[in-house]
Amino acid sequence: MPLNYHHLRYFWAVAHDGNLTRTAQRLNLSQSALSVQIKQLEERLGHDLFERRGRQLYLTEAGRIALDHADSIFSTGQELVATLTETVQTRRALRVGALATLSRNFQIGFLRPILSRMDVEVILRSGGPTELMEGLQTLNLDLVLMNRPPPDDSLTPFETHQIAEQPVSIVGTPERLDPERPIKELLQAQPFILPTTDSSVRTAFDAMASRMSERPQVAAEVDDMAMMRLMAREDIGLALVAPIVVKDELTSGRLVEAKEHPHIRESFYAVTLRRRFPNPLVQELLSQDTTPAFRT
């Protein structure tokens, strides 16, 4: 029996929405009719394509394979129509998720190669780790930007790409920070704005202070880079951040950087879902030499 491409298109729509009810409403179908169409496709292929966890649908391994092929099939169909009707090629979409606490300067720097392209539309969403990972699993996101790798999970085959590594610096207002002063004296004399204790940067900082036999005063523990930047500007204390986070302030002189570096580095990651036919724009971004562009 040949494959019914109407069934495949309905599956394709549900797989990208991740929600049967929403897709049925968008296609002006009843939910039961849409379920029957997908069930018939599963019977034809001999595999379940979805598994339900709570109210959310997740692709099975067979479902991911089917979706990869469906993406390729329908993309080719769109190209055929565009070619024969001599229409302008439709803009391609890249759906990017980023931790709400991640540096905006870093995000713009990473995405800059495609932000000005007329053939690409970038859809940028922010959120927490759980929300973003769910977006990857349901294929509502093409990649997620993070400053820590997600935990391994055999049920969700993520691929984690380290895309940049930056040295971390101690920064503060000119009134508070003497750039020539050694780190040990800064630890003794000044309050610090630090990442939260679950951060690898914080772990490295605490180890450095311990080696120096110092217990610095902690003015604030913050998991949001934008908030660290604001608190440093408001002279709450010295901040431990990657220079790109406060790039504009360092350029203007509103903040200054200690000349002695703590020899701590922060890594940044792009997380994708393992797929046979990934979004080509993701491959373009991941193939660029990003690290030098983010050093200041």
Side-chain angles (χ1 to χ4, degrees), residues 130-181:
T130 302
E131 175 188 359
L132 295 176
M133 292 300 100
E134 288 181 353
L136 273 183
Q137 292 180 63
T138 57
L139 301 176
N140 287 317
L141 295 174
D142 295 308
L143 81 159
V144 168
L145 300 177
M146 313 181 76
N147 59 350
R148 67 188 69 173
D152 291 332
D153 185 342
S154 59
L155 297 177
T156 53
F158 297 129
E159 290 187 345
T160 302
H161 315 262
Q162 183 174 337
I163 53 176
E165 186 180 67
Q166 303 173 18
V168 171
S169 297
I170 296 172
V171 303
T173 61
E175 295 76 20
R176 182 177 295 277
L177 175 59
D178 177 359
E180 303 292 339
R181 203 167 185 184

Side-chain angles (χ1 to χ4, degrees), residues 94 110-118 120 122 281 284-285:
L94 177 68
F110 178 71
L111 297 171
R112 191 178 300 281
I114 62 170
L115 285 175
S116 60
R117 284 176 49 173
M118 298 301 295
V120 176
V122 178
L281 294 169
E284 289 182 35
L285 282 172

Side-chain angles (χ1 to χ4, degrees), residues 193-231:
I193 306 160
L194 299 173
T196 51
T197 54
D198 59 349
S199 161
S200 60
V201 171
R202 175 62 181 276
T203 300
F205 176 85
D206 289 344
M208 178 193 70
S210 178
R211 288 194 299 271
M212 294 181 177
S213 300
E214 298 294 342
R215 292 192 63 182
Q217 176 188 345
V218 179
E221 295 183 349
V222 185
D223 67 355
D224 187 329
M225 293 186 185
M227 180 59 72
M228 291 187 73
R229 174 184 183 181
L230 177 62
M231 295 181 78

Side-chain angles (χ1 to χ4, degrees), residues 19-209:
N19 185 288
L20 194 68
T21 303
R22 184 167 57 240
T23 307
Q25 292 172 345
R26 180 167 61 84
L27 298 178
N28 198 26
L29 293 171
S30 69
Q31 185 172 333
S32 60
L34 186 56
S35 296
V36 168
Q37 300 287 326
I38 293 174
K39 186 65 177 176
Q40 290 174 344
L41 178 62
E42 291 178 325
E43 291 174 354
R44 174 65 186 88
L45 297 176
H47 293 277
D48 290 337
L49 301 177
F50 292 105
E51 62 174 305
R52 184 178 291 277
R53 303 182 201 167
R55 296 183 178 180
Q56 199 74 30
L57 289 177
Y58 290 86
L59 289 167
T60 63
E61 182 61 29
R64 278 191 287 270
I65 294 172
L67 182 61
D68 285 339
H69 283 281
D71 282 340
S72 181
I73 289 168
F74 293 124
S75 175
T76 300
Q78 291 167 356
E79 291 174 5
L80 172 62
V81 172
T83 299
L84 294 182
T85 56
E86 298 182 350
T87 58
V88 177
Q89 185 179 8
T90 303
R91 296 180 75 193
R92 293 181 292 168
L94 177 68
R95 297 161 299 176
V96 180
L99 282 180
T101 59
L102 198 63
S103 164
R104 274 53 171 176
N105 288 343
F106 173 78
Q107 295 177 44
I108 292 173
F110 178 71
L111 297 171
R112 191 178 300 281
I114 62 170
L115 285 175
S116 60
R117 284 176 49 173
M118 298 301 295
D119 63 328
V120 176
E121 178 182 358
V122 178
I123 303 165
L124 187 58
R125 299 171 182 165
S126 63
T130 302
E131 175 188 359
L132 295 176
M133 292 300 100
E134 288 181 353
L136 273 183
Q137 292 180 63
T138 57
L139 301 176
N140 287 317
L141 295 174
D142 295 308
L143 81 159
V144 168
L145 300 177
M146 313 181 76
N147 59 350
R148 67 188 69 173
D152 291 332
D153 185 342
S154 59
L155 297 177
T156 53
F158 297 129
E159 290 187 345
T160 302
H161 315 262
Q162 183 174 337
I163 53 176
E165 186 180 67
Q166 303 173 18
V168 171
S169 297
I170 296 172
V171 303
T173 61
E175 295 76 20
R176 182 177 295 277
L177 175 59
D178 177 359
E180 303 292 339
R181 203 167 185 184
I183 289 179
K184 185 175 177 65
E185 293 183 10
L186 294 176
L187 293 173
Q188 295 170 344
Q190 295 292 344
F192 276 77
I193 306 160
L194 299 173
T196 51
T197 54
D198 59 349
S199 161
S200 60
V201 171
R202 175 62 181 276
T203 300
F205 176 85
D206 289 344
M208 178 193 70

Side-chain angles (χ1 to χ4, degrees), residues 197-272:
T197 54
D198 59 349
S199 161
S200 60
V201 171
R202 175 62 181 276
T203 300
F205 176 85
D206 289 344
M208 178 193 70
S210 178
R211 288 194 299 271
M212 294 181 177
S213 300
E214 298 294 342
R215 292 192 63 182
Q217 176 188 345
V218 179
E221 295 183 349
V222 185
D223 67 355
D224 187 329
M225 293 186 185
M227 180 59 72
M228 291 187 73
R229 174 184 183 181
L230 177 62
M231 295 181 78
R233 283 168 40 181
E234 293 300 314
D235 200 25
I236 305 301
L238 302 181
L240 184 72
V241 295
I244 191 172
V245 176
V246 290
K247 179 180 178 181
D248 295 340
E249 287 79 3
L250 292 175
T251 301
S252 67
R254 188 167 183 177
L255 294 176
V256 294
E257 183 179 359
K259 289 189 176 180
E260 184 181 354
H261 289 271
H263 301 293
I264 299 171
R265 305 185 72 84
E266 182 169 20
S267 295
F268 294 83
Y269 304 90
V271 185
T272 60

